[in-house]
Each structure stands twice: as structure tokens, then as C-alpha cells.
Amino acid sequence: MIPVFDGHNDFLQRMVAAGPDRDRLWLQGDGTGHLDLPRMKAGGFAGGFFAIWTPSPPGPDDALAAMLKKDPPFALDLPPEISPAQALPHAIAQAGQLMAMARTGTLDICRTAAELRASIEAGRIAAILHIEGAEPIPDLDALHVWHAMGLRSLGPVWSRPTRYGHGVPFAFPASPDTGPGLTEAGKELVGECNRLRIMLDLSHLNEKGFDDVARLSDAPLVASHSCAHAVAPSSRNLTDRQLAVIAESGGLVGLNYAVGFLHPEGRREPMHGFEIMLRHLDHLLAHLGEDGVALGSDFDGADMPVDLADAGALQALVQAMLAHGYGRELVEKIAWKNWLGVLERTWGA
């Protein structure tokens, strides 16, 4: 079995919803969602980035609910910015769930590349604390507090705007070139993340914000869960120009498994087989090279392909890559080694 290291999941929201049943959900599963410890073990899921994400308050024009009902073409308004006071209780609750998972002895919250390797070798889940959308971080002092808690990866935005920058709307077909770049606070955030060696995640950030990070950051550029715009022209996907900038920095893109971002026509219909995923991987490899492509599932945050319905099916993707003609060495790079490599280049050994 080839291990898989994953660039993004939203499991912590399910843990919060489970309340007092959280340990049972993690250790045994309940048959819902995409992740739990038994399915991770069955699929070779060795570790990954566990995202803290704050939902927008419910409303009649909820963008995500509308997106799931629309056929392309569509262009949906983004939810408005939310305050740190709204975001912080959600963020603390999700961070607490990750710590509860660690207390079971089955998962480690890793702060260094050496800790990642040790956790994987010991057979535990190697977890990275990630925040998707920096709403729970009102200032740089708060960033230091989160870093002390274990934060090692940060996305300045999740599509809706924050005090740091602007995300892409949910639109198809559409360019990621929407809206202005980073705010002054966002530019300061980039510098402080570099000093603290917190990985900056470019997924969800619009193109001008992407360019600002590329100009300001001294770390490899990373998009944890994105696809190729040339294959599927979603606003969430990366253009060939962006891929070239990432490649020049020695960075990486983790392939998103979400059907709506993979499908060349943007449809959210059941997707069978791995042909479209392999088409994206071929394109990413052509532009990023063998050291610049990885996996970023979006498990528990999106609709998955039929044949990759949950973490237990990960080895089916591994076998599809091998059958496609990728050698075992390349498959191991895509599946896990490239993530560890870019984190060593970002965090240090």
C-alpha cells in the first residue's frame, strides 16, 4: 500500500457536530461523510492538513446551497465578510476537536517535518493544523498565539473577503482574476507567516492576491486543493500562468477531488472512473514537474467522484495512477513525498 498525504479536509466540522459522540465518530465512524480513522487506515491515509473553517451565517441567498442547485454557467455572489468575534468560537471549537483526536493516541498534531515523518513511521495520523480563511486572526499578535497552538498552514481567505484579501467567487466558466489584491494587513500577514514559517495556502485566493503573495513571500508557493483551469475553467482553478509562477518558486499544487472543480463543463453530476482526475494530473505535471504535484482531497467539504467516495478508496486512485503509466516512484511523490518535501522547504527540516 502506498501511503497518501492529503492537502485539505474539513473533518473537524463533523467532529464539532458530533458533540459527546466525537470519539466514537473518530475511532469507529458512523457511516457518513468521507473520513474517520478506520477508513483512513483502510485507504492508506497517512496524514494531512485538517482545516479550521468558519461557516457564513445562514441566509436566503446562501452561495454554497445555491451553487449545488445550479447547472453551469453560473456566477454566484460571495457571502459578506464576517468578524473575528463571529469566527473565533467556531475556530476554537474545531481546534479543540483536533486536540481531542490527538488525546486518543491515534493522531499527532505535527509542527515540524521531522514530527510528520516520525508520526507516519509510527503508524499514527500525522495532522497539520490549518486555518482556511483568516477571520479568526484579527491581528499579528493573534497569529503568534495560533502559531503557539500549533498552526503551521494558513489560507488568508476562503472565497469571501477578509481583512487580508479577497477570494474567488463560485463561477463557471470564469477567470480567477476577480477583485483587488491583498490589503495592507494582508501584506503584513505574508511577511509574518514567512518569519514564523507558516505555510501560506493560495487555494481560494483571487489572482491579484495570488500575485501579491508571489511577489512578497520568500517561501515556496502552495495551493493545497486546486485543479487546472485549462482542463476545467472554474474560477477556483489555477491558470497556466499561475502554475508557472508556482513552479518557479519550487512550490506545489494538491489536486482537489471535488467533482465541480474537476469536471470540464463544471457539472456536479456523478463522476465515474479516474480519467478526468488523471487529465488534471497530467496537466499539472506538465507545468509543475514531478516534484510539484500532490493530492488535496477536500474530503468532507465537497462532492467526491463515485469511485473515490471516501478515504477508504484512496488506493483505487493510487492504482489508477499506476495503470495510467506513472511509475511507482512518481506515484509515491504525488501521493505523499512531495508534500513532505515542500514542507521541509517551507518549515525547515
Side-chain angles (χ1 to χ4, degrees):
M1 187 182 294
I2 292 178
V4 174
F5 197 88
D6 182 51
H8 184 89
N9 75 71
D10 290 293
F11 178 71
L12 296 180
Q13 295 173 68
R14 287 180 57 218
M15 283 286 285
V16 170
D21 290 332
R22 66 188 186 190
D23 283 356
R24 183 179 63 83
L25 172 63
W26 168 239
L27 295 172
Q28 301 175 28
D30 64 0
T32 68
H34 304 139
L35 293 174
D36 50 51
L37 185 61
R39 285 183 287 181
M40 288 176 170
K41 293 294 187 181
F45 186 110
F49 294 74
F50 285 73
I52 290 171
W53 175 77
T54 303
S56 294
D61 297 320
D62 182 80
L64 284 178
M67 181 174 63
L68 293 175
K69 297 176 182 177
K70 284 183 176 287
D71 291 325
F74 56 81
L76 302 170
D77 293 333
L78 289 170
E81 183 174 348
I82 62 174
S83 70
Q86 290 173 291
L88 193 57
H90 292 277
I92 292 296
Q94 291 173 58
Q97 297 308 308
L98 187 61
M99 293 172 186
M101 292 155 67
R103 288 196 294 273
T104 67
T106 60
L107 175 145
D108 298 320
I109 302 173
C110 300
R111 295 164 171 82
T112 67
E115 288 179 358
L116 285 174
R117 292 186 181 277
S119 182
I120 292 170
E121 290 172 5
R124 293 186 292 273
I125 301 299
I128 297 169
L129 178 60
H130 168 75
I131 294 180
E132 182 181 35
E135 291 96 343
I137 304 174
D139 53 39
L140 298 184
D141 287 339
L143 179 69
H144 280 258
V145 172
W146 277 103
H147 180 264
M149 290 169 57
L151 180 72
R152 292 298 182 270
S153 175
L154 174 65
V157 301
W158 168 83
S159 285
R160 68 185 165 226
T162 70
R163 70 185 301 266
Y164 302 108
H166 301 266
V168 290
F170 296 106
F172 191 99
S175 164
D177 187 12
T178 60
L182 297 180
T183 64
E184 288 306 310
K187 295 172 184 176
E188 293 174 0
L189 182 72
V190 171
E192 201 65 17
C193 283
N194 281 173
R195 283 185 282 276
L196 291 172
R197 294 189 172 182
I198 295 172
M199 189 192 89
L200 286 160
D201 182 8
L202 300 172
S203 289
H204 286 283
L205 192 62
N206 70 0
E207 192 164 7
K208 288 185 174 63
F210 173 103
D211 288 342
D212 282 339
V213 175
R215 177 173 53 84
L216 295 168
S217 179
D218 61 12
L221 300 175
V222 174
S224 68
H225 59 303
S226 294
C227 300
H229 194 273
V231 178
S234 166
S235 55
R236 264 283 280 114
N237 291 342
L238 296 166
T239 66
D240 287 355
R241 185 194 71 83
Q242 290 175 301
L243 296 178
V245 174
I246 292 171
E248 179 66 23
S249 77
L252 175 149
V253 174
L255 178 70
N256 193 325
Y257 308 167
V259 169
F261 303 139
L262 287 168
H263 200 291
E265 297 176 9
R267 296 200 298 267
R268 294 179 171 270
E269 62 189 25
M271 180 184 292
H272 295 268
F274 295 95
E275 186 272 332
I276 293 175
M277 296 184 76
L278 292 165
R279 200 185 311 172
H280 280 272
L281 285 172
D282 285 343
H283 191 87
L284 293 174
L285 286 165
H287 288 265
L288 296 166
E290 293 190 358
D291 296 328
V293 181
L295 301 175
S297 69
D298 216 352
F299 278 145
D300 282 324
D303 295 329
M304 296 290 111
V306 172
D307 297 305
L308 192 50
D310 57 41
L314 283 167
Q315 292 302 304
L317 173 58
V318 169
Q319 291 302 314
M321 289 191 284
L322 291 167
H324 188 60
Y326 297 169
R328 185 179 179 90
E329 181 179 357
L330 175 56
V331 172
E332 288 182 343
K333 284 185 173 185
I334 295 170
W336 70 280
K337 290 183 177 179
N338 284 346
W339 267 124
L340 269 64
V342 80
L343 290 170
E344 286 177 341
R345 296 193 297 276
T346 302
W347 296 348

